[in-house]
Every structure is written in C-alpha cells, then in structure tokens.
Amino acid sequence: MKHHLYMNGQWKEAPRYTPLYSPYSGELVAEVGEAGEAETEEAIRAAEAAAPVMAAMPAHERAAILDRVVAILERRQEELVRILALEAAKPVKTGRGEIMRTIQTYKFAAMEARRFHGETVPLDAAPGGEGRIAFTMRRPIGVVGAITPFNFPFNLVAHKVGPAIAAGNTVVLKPAGQTPLSSLVLGDIFAEAGLPAGALNIIPGPGAVVGEKLVRDSRVKAITFTGSPAVGIAMRNKAGLKRMTLELGSNSALVLDRTCDITPELIQRCVLGAFSFSGQVCISIQRILVHEEKAEAFVQQFKAQTEKLVVGDPLDEATDVSALISEKEVRRMEEWVGSAVAQGAVVVTGGKAVHPRLYPPTILTGVPTTEPVSCQEVFGPIVTVGSFSTLDEAIREVNNSRYGLQAGIYTNDIHAAMQAAVEMDVGGVMINDFPTFRVDNMPYGGVKESGFGREGIKYAVEEMTELKLISIKLKP
C-alpha cells in the first residue's frame, strides 16, 4: 500500500516512494512517499499560510481540537499498537503503554491550551517604575519544524505537535525513516478533529533534504529535534537565530547505595529500565553502579530475572523483547560487546546475536569506562554493572560522561539522596527510582551533549512561544 505526503490538509503524491520493511520479519509493510526540496517548500508555505489562522484561534477551540484527537486515539488504540509492532518491532504490550502515554500527552496539551497565560510584573520594585502596571503575554512563534526519532514514534511526536498546536503554532513534521506510518496516520486524525488545513504537514524524507531545509529556512521559527548529538550539533550550527529544543544522547546511570534493599521490585525495575523496547530508549539504564557489599547478590538476581524475558515476535502477547530497528544495529551490538570482552569484560548473560535482527538482553561486568558500551550511547539491550565503595566515587562515575540526561539512585539515606540530587550533573535525578522514569507533564531534557531546552507540555509551550511585555503608565 502506498502512503502519500500530507500537506495543506490533503494527501499528495510524492516524487518517489521507498519500501518500508518490518524490522522483525523483513517483510514489506508499505511504500512511503519521500519528500524532496519542492515538497518541503510546499509544506513550509502551507504552514506559513495557516499560521495567522492558528494564532487567531481562541484557546478553547485549540483545546477542543486536541480533546477530539484524544477521543479518536482512544477509539483506534489497537490499530495504532499494530502499526508500532509492524514498523518499529515494538512488542504489543509495550506498544499499548506508548499509546496510553500518547493519549495522556495530548490531554496535557489540551489542558495547557486552556491555561495559556502570562504574569504581572512589579515594575515599581525598581526606582522609576512607579505608576505603572505591567504584564506579560505569550504569543505563538509561527512555524515549528519537528524532527522525530523511531523509538517512540507516537509519543515523541505528541510531545512536539501537542504543545505546538496548544500554543497556536503550525507544524511541519519530518518523522524517522523507519517509522513514518505512526506520523502519517495523524493526518486523518487531526483533520477529523477539525484542525485547519496547513496547520499540520507530514513529510517523510531524507534528513539531508527535508531536515536541512527546515533548519535553514528563515520561515521556520523553531526546531524541536530528538536524535543523535552529532546531528543535533550540526543542526545547531546551521540554524542561525531560530529557537531550538534538542534532546540528544544519553548513557544513563543508576546507583544502588549501601543502604538500599535489593528487593524483587527493585530487580524488576532494573530489568524494565534496561531492556524495555530492547534498550532503544533515550533514558534506558545503561550503567548500574552497585555498592561493593551488594554487587554480587544484585548481579545474580538481575541475571535470573533478565533471563526470564521472552524474545520474539512483536505481535505475540508474550514477547518482552523483539528485533532492533535494523540489522546494522545488531552488528554494532556484537562489535561493542566484543571490544569490551577483549578488554577484560565478562558476559553475565546474552552477548551473542540470536538472529541477524535479534540481539538478546545482555549484562556485562568488569567493563573499562573507556569502552563504547560504557562511555557512548548503546541504544540497545546491553547494560554494564560495576561496583563502588563510597558514594562520592559513584557520583563521580555518573558524571564521568559526555551526556547528562537523567540518573537514578536507590538509597534509604536522606543525606545520600540529597547529595545525589545536588551533585549529579544531569537534567533529572530520580531518587528511589530508575533514570528511565518519565511522565509526560514533567520537564524533560538534559545537559552537556544530551542537549538543551525542555520537553513536557508546559515547558515545551514556553519553548515554542515569544514572551511579550506590556507596560501601562497610569497617569500620562
């Protein structure tokens, strides 16, 4: 089946179509239209033309559109879960969780549309400010370019499209090449919900063409991007003065302090955080640091629980872990594990591909910190386990990274918890939870090469609006 481009409220034929294959079975899923320079220009023009319409739309109408999107998503949940399984190899029970979060994200967007506000400013706090009333208001920024990854193709799109619409902006959306169907289905959903033509344009295509034009074009006032640090940095260098929100890489660490209890619940949380969606999660647990007194017991229990995971067909209700997004990624897992083993690392479980498209949940110990599986972003089902003697040592190791998205610590010591909160150099510290924790209304983003700007609907709305000050002199 051919899937066209969605521009200006219409489905339009593309100059070329590329085959989309299932990461699990290798079977043809669809043929997807690919935008070129001309189609990207058309999408930007449509978004620019619709910008005044969206900016003038009352907040209650924008909120009502998002409410209707929620209702449609709820009605079509199982269809959307199947799309995730086919194009991303996301197990259906994991996919249901993503669709539930996507629905929640659009609900939050509708809420933010209704409470879009500024604040009063006490100008008389400064000499010369007497006799004035001042307030701020937020105005839509205009056209937003959204560039999204494959791993959460519904919910991460919602985190870009939802706040943009809530704020009264228009969007040109470039989805990831492997997961375009999750975005294209939104064309009919938003049209049914009553979004004006041109307010949402969906154009799969090469990053070197579509992404490049979105970043460079002055009519696009903001870029919101989730992807690799290399691409994000290159985009930032080309974007000029336009707004940018960049959520880039991570190799999230979890600390298990001497005072914490190694419970079945903690072990299950570690398994979920490390291996959900085959570790293809920006805040997946990649490094676990365990106090030396508890390290051996933890590794044994972690191994036992990991080996209970079912690896297989994403459409099977029993499957926990399925294919990686491409065979190239499986080969990279093998290379990185092989390199670590050559430098003295020990494979506790897993460590070898079970199929050209399937790599099993893998636990490594004794990994040098200079090995890619430790210091780079794995984005696969591999976790390293190391030990420490003091909390200072553990925090130094957490911070010994080019990334800084989220980190976690389990501890029963309030002083240790507060030390971690203050000293961990990351965008979010999860105390008595794993770094993979995220709900969709919290501020989410990182430091260092993990990017800058914040998602989470309220915070994304702020990123996608201009702040204007109004000052009134009471006695002319």
Side-chain angles (χ1 to χ4, degrees):
M1 178 180 178
K2 281 189 175 181
H3 292 261
H4 304 309
L5 307 176
Y6 186 75
M7 297 183 291
N8 202 25
Q10 299 177 22
W11 294 103
K12 298 193 175 182
E13 289 193 9
R16 56 172 294 186
Y17 290 79
T18 56
L20 179 69
Y21 298 100
S22 162
Y24 174 73
S25 68
E27 296 175 352
L28 180 68
V29 174
E31 291 181 273
V32 179
E34 188 174 285
E37 181 85 15
E39 292 71 35
T40 308
E41 169 66 24
E42 184 177 349
I44 294 172
R45 282 204 310 266
E48 185 183 34
V53 177
M54 287 299 295
M57 182 182 290
H60 70 86
E61 291 187 17
R62 299 197 303 271
I65 289 169
L66 291 163
D67 284 336
R68 290 191 289 270
V69 168
V70 166
I72 298 166
L73 291 171
E74 288 176 334
R75 187 176 75 235
R76 297 176 63 174
Q77 281 186 67
E78 285 303 306
E79 172 197 348
L80 307 181
V81 167
R82 183 173 175 81
I83 290 174
L84 281 173
L86 290 174
E87 71 174 355
K90 182 165 285 193
V92 289
K93 58 187 178 184
T94 307
R96 289 192 186 101
E98 178 175 350
I99 299 304
M100 288 176 62
R101 283 188 59 193
T102 301
I103 290 168
Q104 185 64 66
T105 299
Y106 283 116
K107 284 182 179 179
F108 281 129
M111 291 167 59
E112 288 304 324
R114 290 184 170 95
R115 60 188 181 201
F116 197 50
H117 62 84
E119 62 183 8
T120 58
V121 182
L123 296 186
D124 62 352
E130 299 88 344
R132 289 172 172 82
I133 293 174
F135 61 92
T136 62
M137 58 190 301
R138 287 194 170 273
R139 300 297 299 157
I141 200 166
V143 180
V144 173
I147 302 174
T148 57
F150 74 83
N151 59 332
F152 285 87
F154 277 108
N155 197 39
L156 290 184
V157 166
H159 270 283
K160 301 178 188 309
V161 173
I165 300 302
N169 294 310
T170 60
V171 183
V172 179
L173 169 62
K174 191 203 96 62
Q178 181 56 44
T179 52
L181 304 184
S182 300
S183 290
L184 289 168
V185 73
L186 296 177
D188 287 335
I189 289 174
F190 271 92
E192 182 181 343
L195 188 69
L200 175 62
N201 307 274
I202 308 164
I203 51 169
V209 178
V210 179
E212 185 83 6
K213 184 166 179 60
L214 290 176
V215 169
R216 290 185 181 274
D217 197 297
S218 62
R219 293 168 295 177
V220 178
K221 302 303 182 183
I223 293 288
T224 173
F225 169 78
T226 301
S228 72
V231 174
I233 292 167
M235 290 170 58
R236 187 71 189 94
N237 290 335
K238 300 170 184 175
L241 294 176
K242 63 167 49 80
R243 296 278 188 89
M244 296 204 76
T245 301
L246 301 177
E247 198 274 278
L248 305 178
S250 181
N251 59 354
S252 295
L254 174 64
V255 174
L256 305 182
D257 189 22
R258 180 181 57 82
T259 63
C260 80
D261 301 314
I262 307 298
T263 64
E265 291 76 19
L266 183 150
I267 295 296
Q268 185 58 46
R269 202 73 170 148
C270 289
V271 171
L272 177 67
F275 302 121
S276 180
F277 192 39
S278 301
Q280 297 170 123
V281 180
C282 297
I283 41 178
S284 177
I285 302 174
Q286 186 171 326
R287 300 176 291 154
I288 301 179
L289 305 169
V290 190
H291 191 273
E292 59 191 8
E293 294 177 8
K294 298 178 179 283
E296 184 176 350
F298 170 79
V299 169
Q300 290 176 354
Q301 294 178 57
F302 187 39
K303 174 180 184 291
Q305 193 65 34
T306 296
E307 291 177 347
K308 294 178 182 179
L309 294 174
V310 176
V311 180
D313 187 341
L315 290 169
D316 188 332
E317 294 284 350
T319 297
D320 298 301
V321 176
S322 190
L324 288 177
I325 200 66
S326 70
E327 293 185 16
K328 177 183 71 174
E329 295 305 302
V330 175
R331 293 193 294 271
R332 181 172 62 84
M333 298 300 111
E334 291 191 307
E335 291 169 4
W336 284 16
V337 169
S339 175
V341 169
Q343 296 301 314
V346 174
V347 177
V348 175
T349 190
K352 291 185 178 180
V354 296
H355 185 277
R357 292 187 284 271
L358 288 170
Y359 197 85
T362 296
I363 302 170
L364 303 176
T365 59
V367 178
T369 58
T370 54
E371 280 299 301
V373 288
S374 177
C375 67
Q376 297 185 38
E377 182 176 36
V378 168
F379 222 65
I382 300 171
V383 63
T384 69
V385 181
S387 63
F388 64 91
S389 58
T390 69
L391 184 59
D392 287 343
E393 176 188 342
I395 292 174
R396 280 196 302 272
E397 190 52 45
V398 170
N399 293 341
N400 181 26
S401 173
R402 55 196 273 209
Y403 306 113
L405 189 47
Q406 293 194 164
I409 179 171
Y410 278 86
T411 180
N412 289 317
D413 181 347
I414 185 63
H415 301 291
M418 294 310 298
Q419 181 182 350
V422 171
E423 295 183 7
M424 286 182 174
D425 191 13
V426 293
V429 178
M430 308 299 127
I431 296 171
N432 288 332
D433 208 347
F434 58 10
T436 321
F437 174 77
R438 182 185 182 185
V439 291
D440 297 292
N441 61 331
M442 75 187 213
Y444 175 78
V447 299
K448 299 187 281 190
E449 288 190 33
S450 288
F452 56 83
R454 291 295 181 268
E455 291 189 338
I457 303 300
K458 171 183 180 293
Y459 308 93
V461 165
E462 292 175 357
E463 301 276 354
M464 296 179 185
T465 52
E466 294 285 5
L467 188 68
K468 179 184 285 188
L469 174 73
I470 311 299
S471 172
I472 304 171
K473 189 174 181 182
L474 299 180
K475 294 180 180 180

